[in-house]
Amino acid sequence: MNGSVNECLTDRTAENQAVETPPADPLSEVMIESTPILCCKDLCKSYKKNKPVLKDFNFTVEAGKITGLLGPNGCGKSTLLKLVSGILVPDGGDILLCGQKRSEKSNALISFLPDSPYFSGGQRVSGMLSYFADFYPDFDMTLAKNMLADLGIDPKARFRTLSKGTKEKVQLVLVMSRRAKLYMLDEPLGGVDPAARDYILKTIIGNYSPDSAVVITTHLISDVEAALDDFAFMNYGGQILLSGSADEVREREGKSLDTLFREVFAC
Amino acid sequence: MLGKCLKYDFKETFKLWWVGALVSLLSALPLSFLMFSLINDIDDESSFPWQVFPLMICYIGVVVGMMISLLSVYVRYYRHFFGKEAYLTFTLPVKRTTLFTSKYITALFFNIASYAILIFGMAGFMGCAILDAVGSVSLGDAIMAALTVVVVYALFFLYTISLSTLSYFFIITFCGVYFKKYSLLAIIVAFFCLSFFGSYAMMLPMMGGMLGIFGLVGLIDANIVSMGPLQGFALIGAGLLLVIVAVTALNMLLAFLSKELLERKLNVT
């Protein structure tokens, strides 16, 4: 499994190096380098009074990176993704996407995978593909069909007849078949069998372009670790305990992210 | 984007709506004939129980069918904005105003269609009544009278449907935003209250309007007010226009409040 993921990583590094060639217009170079895909400034959110889930939360995601947002249950990882995708309204602070303040238009830039199924049971998988193709101009129908075939999912099947894991796979196919700027995946491997995790990670790594970014929240750190460029350990209240380049931290600490996570968040 | 939203809203609403509409139609067709024969044989006590029982069954069928078909638009609204589908709805690159407008147009269409099916189902009663009346009045007059009833009721329904649709949408939105976990229970209670008190409230402008018209006609007839028939009609017209403006303003206010709640306060959890 790791071998194939590492293969993809090598491919992607080559792609990134190709993109790093200076563009013709120096102004556009400054724009690309200085504008992060996602920037959260002093973000606040609470569901109950005096119990903030996120308090003055600051977070930046650069283009061409896969960032792992790792933390214990209830620390606000999913809340952050929902705020960025527009499902929740922040109590304070700013969310900037590609330098622009978040609005309904920003939804075209974001491809969000929530941690629960969101399609009604009666719909067929093919109908869901058409739905995405209708609403998102960046949706790649051929890619989606190929991915469904690879995962052995029948496009004619009704959503309610699929198992929990297969439903998650279908939604992941829909999300990853878009050419979005920011992919936000909330527990993408949660209900998926280990064999399919390999394919999903390959899909995540292989399908996004170098000018886009991926944010993954998960508890299965050892499974995604090989795919992560950056990481952030998030504590209650949205406090970032440790963040940076995954490779650098592994080298510095001499431990995997999984081991480090267990040490930092030991009960 | 409105076109695309409408396409999916029509498709999804139809899946729920057609069952109720079919039950309503299949019950209304025999009901119209049973009602007519019951009115005609009202003095014949021997056939009375045999007519009443199937009539009641058909009547229940019409009510249940209408309820299913009318509720289908609100079920769609709730599921799409406050159910698990909300995760998809609010991540679409579509303005919330557009999403709301699409739901409103769809609801109006299907609510009108529900009433149209009921009227079509009752066409048998209308037809029998027209044929029965032909002896005392001419066929043309009987058809005109029946059409007048249909048009007057259609106008009344349009007024009621537009207002009730937005009222129910506002209730769902308000309960969905503020009651969260208990939103469904709150919606059911609020729907019951609105239907109960709303039915009385709707009578008031109707009765007020009718009393006003009768009073005005009476005054004109008695020459107490020195007013010609044209001025009288103009006054009635102005009164009706005022009602239309008031209803439109109330509709716009409800639509605005619902939109504001969806845009500023909605947190899908």
Side-chain angles (χ1 to χ4, degrees):
Chain A
M1 176 193 146
N2 281 337
S4 50
V5 171
N6 286 337
E7 271 170 36
C8 279
L9 268 172
T10 319
D11 292 347
R12 200 162 53 79
T13 314
E15 268 178 30
N16 284 349
Q17 279 166 354
V19 167
E20 277 161 18
T21 325
D25 181 6
L27 261 179
S28 61
E29 183 189 15
V30 172
M31 282 283 286
I32 289 167
E33 284 186 358
S34 62
T35 312
I37 296 275
L38 170 68
C39 183
C40 301
K41 286 181 184 171
D42 304 323
L43 201 58
C44 296
K45 180 70 193 173
S46 56
Y47 296 109
K48 287 177 186 171
K49 274 183 185 174
N50 302 323
K51 274 194 172 181
V53 180
L54 295 176
K55 195 181 174 189
D56 300 326
F57 181 79
N58 292 291
F59 186 60
T60 304
V61 177
E62 301 290 342
K65 297 273 175 80
I66 298 179
T67 306
L69 202 56
L70 315 167
N73 294 328
C75 72
K77 303 184 296 289
S78 298
T79 300
L80 174 67
L81 298 198
K82 285 177 188 174
L83 283 167
V84 175
S85 59
I87 288 168
L88 295 178
V89 181
D91 297 335
D94 287 318
I95 299 169
L96 303 175
L97 283 150
C98 301
Q100 301 288 313
K101 220 171 174 184
R102 217 217 93 82
S103 67
E104 283 154 338
K105 280 182 191 169
S106 315
N107 287 350
L109 305 172
I110 306 167
S111 196
F112 174 53
L113 176 78
D115 55 356
S116 55
Y118 52 50
F119 270 101
S120 65
Q123 265 186 298
R124 289 184 195 281
V125 175
S126 56
M128 290 152 70
L129 298 188
S130 309
Y131 189 90
F132 262 61
D134 266 347
F135 281 103
Y136 298 106
D138 58 4
F139 185 74
D140 188 338
M141 183 64 98
T142 317
L143 178 66
K145 283 181 177 170
N146 289 342
M147 283 166 71
L148 285 177
D150 289 344
L151 287 163
I153 300 167
D154 179 11
K156 287 177 189 167
R158 287 196 190 276
F159 199 58
R160 76 162 78 90
T161 63
L162 304 175
S163 68
K164 186 174 175 272
T166 313
K167 280 179 186 167
E168 287 184 13
K169 284 179 200 168
V170 170
Q171 289 193 166
L172 190 79
V173 165
L174 291 168
V175 166
M176 294 312 295
S177 297
R178 284 186 55 202
R179 300 288 175 215
K181 285 280 181 196
L182 178 63
Y183 297 88
M184 294 198 302
L185 315 175
D186 195 0
E187 300 285 352
L189 308 175
V192 178
D193 59 89
R197 278 179 202 166
D198 185 16
Y199 180 84
I200 287 169
L201 281 174
K202 264 169 61 186
T203 307
I204 293 169
I205 296 163
N207 278 15
Y208 87 102
S209 62
D211 62 343
S212 61
V214 181
V215 178
I216 302 176
T217 71
T218 185
H219 300 293
L220 303 165
I221 303 168
S222 57
D223 281 330
V224 296
E225 196 172 335
L228 299 181
D229 294 308
D230 288 345
F231 77 99
F233 283 170
M234 197 171 161
N235 205 359
Y236 296 103
Q239 190 189 0
I240 300 284
L241 296 180
L242 192 63
S243 66
S245 158
D247 286 337
E248 278 176 21
V249 168
R250 270 193 293 259
E251 209 171 292
R252 194 175 64 223
E253 301 285 333
K255 293 168 192 165
S256 68
L257 285 182
D258 190 33
T259 315
L260 205 58
F261 181 88
R262 285 167 203 270
E263 282 176 13
V264 171
F265 294 104
C267 297
Chain B
M1 279 295 177
L2 181 63
K4 286 173 186 172
C5 290
L6 282 170
K7 175 185 155 186
Y8 285 99
D9 278 335
F10 268 72
K11 212 169 139 184
E12 288 299 312
T13 309
F14 183 78
K15 281 181 190 172
L16 290 168
W17 177 84
W18 76 268
V19 181
L22 189 68
V23 171
S24 178
L25 179 65
L26 292 178
S27 307
L29 283 169
L31 180 71
S32 65
F33 292 105
L34 285 166
M35 271 172 71
F36 187 75
S37 71
L38 189 73
I39 291 166
N40 269 2
D41 303 339
I42 198 90
D43 299 327
D44 185 0
E45 284 180 10
S46 61
S47 63
F48 193 72
W50 303 108
Q51 284 172 325
V52 169
F53 185 69
L55 188 136
M56 286 307 291
I57 298 284
C58 291
Y59 180 74
I60 291 167
V62 168
V63 171
V64 170
M66 279 294 281
M67 275 181 75
I68 294 170
S69 57
L70 288 175
L71 280 176
S72 64
V73 295
Y74 304 115
V75 170
R76 169 76 184 150
Y77 184 87
Y78 179 80
R79 275 188 187 171
H80 211 220
F81 282 166
F82 303 99
K84 61 182 179 183
E85 282 178 55
Y87 280 95
L88 183 62
T89 310
F90 295 119
T91 49
L92 291 174
V94 182
K95 284 184 179 176
R96 293 190 182 190
T97 317
T98 311
L99 292 167
F100 185 82
T101 309
S102 168
K103 295 277 174 297
Y104 182 54
I105 294 171
T106 312
L108 274 186
F109 177 85
F110 280 102
N111 280 343
I112 291 168
S114 299
Y115 285 113
I117 278 182
L118 188 68
I119 290 170
F120 179 75
M122 296 301 281
F125 180 78
M126 284 283 188
C128 293
I130 289 168
L131 289 175
D132 198 50
V134 165
S136 48
V137 294
S138 72
L139 181 65
D141 286 346
I143 291 172
M144 277 304 289
L147 278 177
T148 309
V149 170
V150 169
V151 169
V152 167
Y153 271 88
L155 286 172
F156 173 68
F157 277 139
L158 263 178
Y159 151 79
T160 316
I161 289 166
S162 67
L163 193 58
S164 65
T165 303
L166 281 169
S167 306
Y168 287 129
F169 275 5
F170 176 70
I171 283 175
I172 297 171
T173 313
F174 186 85
C175 295
V177 167
Y178 289 107
F179 290 91
K180 293 190 170 63
K181 255 199 277 180
Y182 307 103
S183 60
L184 202 57
L185 182 70
I187 288 165
I188 291 167
V189 172
F191 263 42
F192 177 76
C193 291
L194 184 74
S195 307
F196 189 76
F197 295 111
S199 55
Y200 288 104
M202 276 193 307
M203 292 293 175
L204 293 175
M206 273 190 79
M207 284 171 67
M210 282 168 73
L211 283 175
I213 290 167
F214 286 138
L216 198 63
V217 171
L219 287 173
I220 294 163
D221 277 354
N223 286 328
I224 294 169
V225 176
S226 55
M227 190 183 280
L230 270 177
Q231 285 96 324
F233 279 120
L235 204 62
I236 294 167
L240 287 173
L241 194 68
L242 200 69
V243 171
I244 291 167
V245 169
V247 170
T248 311
L250 187 59
N251 273 350
M252 284 170 74
L253 178 71
L254 287 169
F256 174 76
L257 289 174
S258 304
K259 186 189 79 74
E260 284 293 299
L261 283 174
L262 285 174
E263 275 180 3
R264 295 181 197 280
K265 297 282 179 191
L266 179 65
N267 287 305
V268 183
T269 47

